[in-house]
Amino acid sequence: MRPVTALFGQRARLRWLHLILGGALFMPFWLVGTLVMGPLLDDGGMFTGGLGVQFGAYAVGLPLAAVVALFPLARPMSVAAARALCGVDADRFADGPARGREARARTAGWFSLHLGAGALVSGATLALPPFAVAVMALPFSPGLRESELGRFWGLDAAWLIWGAVPAGLLMLLALAAGAAATGSLLARQAPRLLGPSPADRLAAAERRAAEAEARNRLARELHDSVGHALSAVTLQAGAARRVLGGDGADLEFVREALTAIEETTRRTVGELDRALGLLRRGEGAEEGVGPGLDALESLVRGAGPRVALTVDGALGSVPETLSREAYRIVQEGLTNAARHAGGAPVAVRLDARTEELEITMENPLPDRPPVTRPDGGNGLRGIAERARLLAGTAEAGPVGGVWRLAVRIPR
């Protein structure tokens, strides 16, 4: 069964179809070749000329096909056909147009091989089966043996009456074997001629690195957003619980805490939905997950009534990328204050009046400085990284009884 599968199995049939496609693509070049060779050999028109014109047109058409294959878009077309029909792993092919001399030369070599071999196999596929069927019909058709066509091809020989059927079957078998062998040859050469060049591999590695970086940025945005929301909600809920548990509960304070919890969770769910949408579509983080400084007041309100915001200058003039990063810096600063300052009042100040955007956040130091708030904390490291990526600076530490975070980023 293995020889039968090799000649007539699905892979062999697809490769045969690939060769016939190459023959069809070669037809325009062959027609141009006949227009050139017909007058030179003075041997009739393009369809009535002898074998000299046909093979001369073949010889003229192959270089023309190679020249056309030098255009960059020839490789994507060839790769698409080879992936679908050659039975070669898809990841062994290069993606995108051919760039550089070496990649274009290999593509021209493949195009010439595909079209040249396809033209020969297609011609044999069109001509040999009818001839083989006519040969196999000789024992059963005296008229065919005595016809002018039969005498022309020597089909009136006596021995063919007895050997016609085996001879015809052998012709068809030889055609199938030739097509399978040629298809296998093209399948072996396809990765070599259509595979990625060193430049293609470098470009693919850069794309993968960019995608990984984008996903890491999305993960960091989600961490900052969800981490801040959980910290703010925990703080507000704890404060409300303590107020309700004491004498003379301040219902207005509890109402403000619940409102802050509601606003924080609603905003965070929106950011989470947007981030998940970007991940599902495979888009990068350059679009931005969270809001910018236009949503800063909502962020401060959600952090609770003990956070005061002061803005100097027009925040609307801050570039979009800087606006998003500044929002995240303030958000992370508020998260740190909620975690480590025990609900102390926080003063947030933004100054956009100069060539630098200045962000300052201050809160009183707790009575016992927590061991979880050194300068190397994860939150402060994230703030410093964001500032550094935008060519800015970030400083954090105790100053005169308060904890101060100061960030300066060029606009």
Side-chain angles (χ1 to χ4, degrees), residues 226-383:
V226 175
H228 167 77
L230 292 177
S231 297
V233 167
T234 302
L235 177 65
Q236 297 293 339
R241 178 180 55 81
R242 287 194 297 270
V243 170
L244 287 176
D247 297 332
D250 187 352
L251 296 182
E252 183 61 28
F253 179 87
V254 174
R255 186 178 296 107
E256 291 179 358
L258 293 176
T259 302
I261 291 174
E262 180 183 5
E263 188 169 346
T264 299
T265 53
R266 182 183 297 113
R267 183 183 64 250
T268 305
V269 167
E271 294 181 19
L272 182 61
D273 287 342
R274 176 170 170 76
L276 293 178
L278 291 175
L279 286 173
R280 292 190 189 100
R281 297 195 301 269
E283 298 177 10
E286 61 273 3
E287 291 190 21
V289 176
L293 292 176
D294 55 338
L296 189 61
E297 292 186 2
S298 174
L299 174 67
V300 171
R301 285 198 305 270
R306 308 196 72 180
V307 179
L309 173 65
T310 303
V311 176
D312 296 322
L315 297 182
S317 63
V318 177
E320 182 180 357
T321 301
L322 176 54
S323 178
R324 290 199 303 266
E325 295 299 319
Y327 178 93
R328 291 303 186 192
I329 288 173
V330 174
Q331 185 181 60
E332 186 61 37
L334 292 176
T335 301
N336 283 351
R339 289 174 178 171
H340 306 297
V346 181
V348 181
R349 180 175 179 270
L350 278 79
D351 190 346
R353 294 175 296 180
T354 64
E355 292 301 316
E356 288 185 330
L357 176 65
E358 298 183 14
I359 303 173
T360 305
M361 303 181 66
E362 295 181 347
N363 60 268
L365 287 172
D367 295 335
R368 290 188 304 167
V371 296
T372 56
R373 191 176 180 178
D375 285 350
N378 290 332
L380 296 180
R381 273 205 300 266
I383 292 174

Side-chain angles (χ1 to χ4, degrees), residues 136 162-171:
M136 288 188 291
W162 308 106
V165 173
L169 291 176
L170 285 175
M171 292 179 193

Side-chain angles (χ1 to χ4, degrees), residues 379-389 392-394:
L380 296 180
R381 273 205 300 266
I383 292 174
E385 180 183 352
R386 289 181 185 275
R388 185 171 61 253
L389 290 175
T393 61

Side-chain angles (χ1 to χ4, degrees), residues 63-98:
L64 294 176
V67 171
V68 170
L70 294 176
F71 289 93
L73 292 180
R75 188 171 72 174
M77 180 185 70
S78 299
V79 167
R83 274 178 170 160
L85 302 174
C86 274
V88 180
D89 291 340
D91 57 1
R92 301 184 65 186
F93 293 102
D95 292 316

Side-chain angles (χ1 to χ4, degrees), residues 395-409:
E395 299 177 355
V399 178
V402 299
W403 181 273
R404 173 180 292 176
L405 171 66
V407 179
R408 292 180 176 84
I409 304 175

